[in-house]
Amino acid sequence: MQYGTGVTPQVFVPPQPSVLNPQPGVDWVTPASSSYAPDSSAYPSYGGVGTSGHGVYGSFEDEAPLLEELGIDIPAIINRTAAILTMRLSKESLESLDLGGPLIFMALLGFAHLLVGKLHFGYILGWTVVGSGLIWFVLNSMTGSDPEAADLGLYACCCLLGYALLPLVGHALLSLLLPRRSLAAIGLGVAAVFWSAGTAAKLFTKRSPALRGQTSVIMYPATLMYTAFALLTLY
């Protein structure tokens, strides 16, 4: 368009930065001229789908079984259970204790109560923990600072008393077939209580040599504890 003066105005167009050089005066390295090349060997290969590499963390076949990671040894639990049932208790079976067996026995006892409409899982677990703590305090008061009683800790008391709970589990299962609070059920309960208490006393004396000769003393608090479980089954 021409105006009256005959001079054509110039339209100012700002310079546009290029894609590879967005700021004028600054030299940017383009991919074509770049000398950097990442080394794939510097990064670990984790192995993907369809690849044969196992990566840094290995494969699932190299991992330990879940029960082993949780510290639950099924063959050892079966051996200790058979030793309690046959009354052939050896010190070798008490070297490494675990809470797997006691937790299974407590779950079975609670399940037997659940079959008759009684939800006692919390009572069973709570009474076991409290009773184990009290018996542990009594036994340590009896032994004092004897170095032979070093293996008699709170964890060991919970494990030993939990394994000795097995006869009461059998009593709870047999009570399902008998009339409630009958003479047969009560007689089985009394026998199970003394069986459990005697087993617990023998386990403690074999675990800690400082308690030898005090089986009857250990049976008294253990009998009180297991009587509570028998009454829980009967009533």
Side-chain angles (χ1 to χ4, degrees):
M1 178 182 295
Q2 295 183 358
Y3 294 91
T5 58
V7 179
T8 302
Q10 300 293 331
V11 179
F12 175 75
V13 179
Q16 299 294 330
S18 62
V19 177
L20 299 178
N21 193 9
Q23 296 182 5
V26 178
D27 295 332
W28 291 83
V29 179
T30 60
S33 61
S34 176
S35 61
Y36 172 75
D39 187 7
S40 59
S41 62
Y43 300 93
S45 175
Y46 295 97
V49 178
T51 61
S52 59
H54 297 302
V56 177
Y57 300 104
S59 61
F60 289 103
E61 290 79 6
D62 299 333
E63 295 183 356
L66 180 59
L67 293 179
E68 184 178 347
E69 292 182 354
L70 296 176
I72 300 176
D73 190 358
I74 298 298
I77 293 175
I78 296 175
N79 292 334
R80 295 189 188 102
T81 303
I84 291 174
L85 291 176
T86 58
M87 299 299 292
R88 296 178 180 177
L89 305 174
S90 60
K91 187 174 177 59
E92 289 75 14
S93 62
L94 303 177
E95 291 297 332
S96 58
L97 298 175
D98 64 283
L99 280 176
L103 289 176
I104 293 175
F105 295 157
M106 286 186 283
L108 289 176
L109 183 59
F111 180 72
H113 291 179
L114 186 63
L115 292 178
V116 294
K118 297 184 292 185
L119 189 61
H120 289 160
F121 289 100
Y123 292 107
I124 294 171
L125 182 60
W127 289 4
T128 303
V129 173
V130 174
S132 300
L134 293 176
I135 293 178
W136 169 77
F137 175 76
V138 171
L139 295 181
N140 280 271
S141 299
M142 293 168 54
T143 56
S145 58
D146 195 333
E148 293 184 348
D151 295 336
L152 197 61
L154 181 58
Y155 180 81
C157 286
C158 293
C159 295
L160 296 177
L161 292 172
Y163 272 106
L165 190 66
L166 181 59
L168 287 169
V169 176
H171 168 245
L173 295 175
L174 291 176
S175 296
L176 299 175
L177 308 176
L178 299 174
R180 295 184 60 185
R181 293 186 294 275
S182 62
L183 292 179
I186 295 175
L188 285 176
V190 173
V193 167
F194 282 103
W195 189 355
S196 295
T199 302
K202 291 181 179 180
L203 290 175
F204 282 122
T205 54
K206 288 183 176 295
R207 176 74 178 183
S208 178
L211 295 174
R212 291 176 180 174
Q214 302 182 11
T215 305
S216 58
V217 180
I218 302 173
M219 282 188 62
Y220 177 70
T223 302
L224 295 179
M225 173 182 170
Y226 291 126
T227 300
F229 289 104
L231 293 176
L232 198 64
T233 301
L234 293 173
Y235 297 94

